[in-house]
Amino acid sequence: MTTTPSASVSEELAQQGRSAQKRRAILDAATEVFLQKGYLATNMDEIAALAAVSKQTVYKNFPGKETLFVEIVSITSRAGDRVHNEMPDLADGEDVAEYLQRYAYRQLTIVLTPRVMQLRRLVIGEVGRFPELAKALFDGGPKRAMAAMAALFVRLADRGLLAIDDPAVAASQFNWLIMGEPLNRAMLLGDDAIPKPAELRRHAAAGVRVFLASYGK
């Protein structure tokens, strides 16, 4: 029986879908094992078993454990992109303080999750042996976030809403006004120390007030 072109395309798409599902299963399983056992104690056999795939399938997608871990770190660190991608620009007539408070609160709630904090701790524990892991976390997380903030502040300054000479410096200061204390608390004291939503809202509002005292118009 001759296979029609449409059937061939459908089969190819189905195969791509199955491959993507297996890759996702491997990443999910690897994340669980890495967080439970640490980097050095994790092996690819355990990951394959938890993902319900063959060890060959794991290696087909990821040449080694380090490559797999870097991919997990990169994906997790990019979670902060949601802050910028899903936050619309300030509407005409909207209060800039209220807008920045929503922005800050969104950043806090997206970053301060147990999974992200656990992964950060794991990366810090491995930074002496694998500095590239920390670089992947920094480049994909804080560095990207501050670049997006700087671009936002440029847009607001162009509209006459902020007075900013150096957007990168302003972004760094905003980032640490908002993230510094709750992030340090969560990193050092554990997941139970992650502040509750009401506390995060108060913290965001206070940080924005300090920021606008320097950069507001």
Side-chain angles (χ1 to χ4, degrees):
M1 179 179 178
T2 303
T3 303
T4 64
S6 59
S8 298
V9 170
S10 296
E11 177 58 32
E12 182 178 350
L13 291 174
Q15 179 60 41
Q16 291 175 357
R18 289 191 292 270
S19 296
Q21 288 177 348
K22 288 180 180 180
R23 183 180 178 86
R24 182 70 259 171
I26 293 167
L27 288 167
D28 290 343
T31 300
E32 292 299 326
V33 179
F34 280 131
L35 292 179
Q36 288 175 10
K37 296 194 170 185
Y39 181 82
L40 290 179
T42 293
N43 65 67
M44 300 294 257
D45 289 319
E46 292 174 292
I47 293 170
L50 186 58
V53 300
S54 68
K55 189 174 179 180
Q56 289 75 17
T57 298
V58 175
Y59 279 109
K60 180 181 178 181
N61 284 273
F62 303 98
K65 184 168 72 170
E66 183 176 341
T67 304
L68 179 52
F69 193 40
V70 169
E71 178 72 8
I72 291 169
V73 170
S74 298
I75 290 172
T76 304
S77 64
R78 290 196 297 270
D81 287 355
R82 291 167 48 203
V83 179
H84 320 291
N85 295 340
E86 299 175 10
M87 185 81 178
D89 277 343
L90 180 73
D92 290 339
E94 186 178 3
D95 182 71
V96 68
E98 292 180 1
Y99 176 82
L100 290 177
Q101 287 173 26
R102 291 203 314 275
Y103 187 97
Y105 177 73
R106 187 168 183 80
Q107 182 183 9
L108 286 163
T109 55
I110 286 176
V111 174
L112 293 178
T113 65
R115 178 57 58 90
V116 174
M117 294 298 99
Q118 291 162 15
L119 189 64
R120 278 177 172 256
R121 295 185 201 109
L122 181 55
V123 169
I124 289 171
E126 301 294 342
V127 69
R129 285 184 291 267
F130 304 106
E132 64 274 15
L133 297 179
K135 186 176 187 305
L137 181 61
F138 177 77
D139 288 349
K143 186 176 180 180
R144 285 167 66 94
M146 285 187 281
M149 284 181 208
L152 169 64
F153 295 155
V154 168
R155 295 195 300 273
L156 294 176
D158 288 344
R159 293 170 61 179
L161 300 171
L162 295 178
I164 290 178
D165 294 325
D166 190 329
V169 170
S172 176
Q173 292 171 342
F174 183 87
N175 183 68
W176 287 106
L177 276 170
I178 300 305
M179 299 302 302
E181 193 278 335
L183 179 62
N184 280 339
R185 193 193 315 177
M187 286 292 293
L188 296 174
L189 300 180
D191 299 338
D192 290 341
I194 295 175
K196 302 302 182 191
E199 185 178 353
L200 290 179
R201 289 186 187 280
R202 289 192 298 269
H203 178 78
V208 168
R209 282 197 300 271
V210 173
F211 181 77
L212 290 178
S214 293
Y215 294 108
K217 294 185 71 173

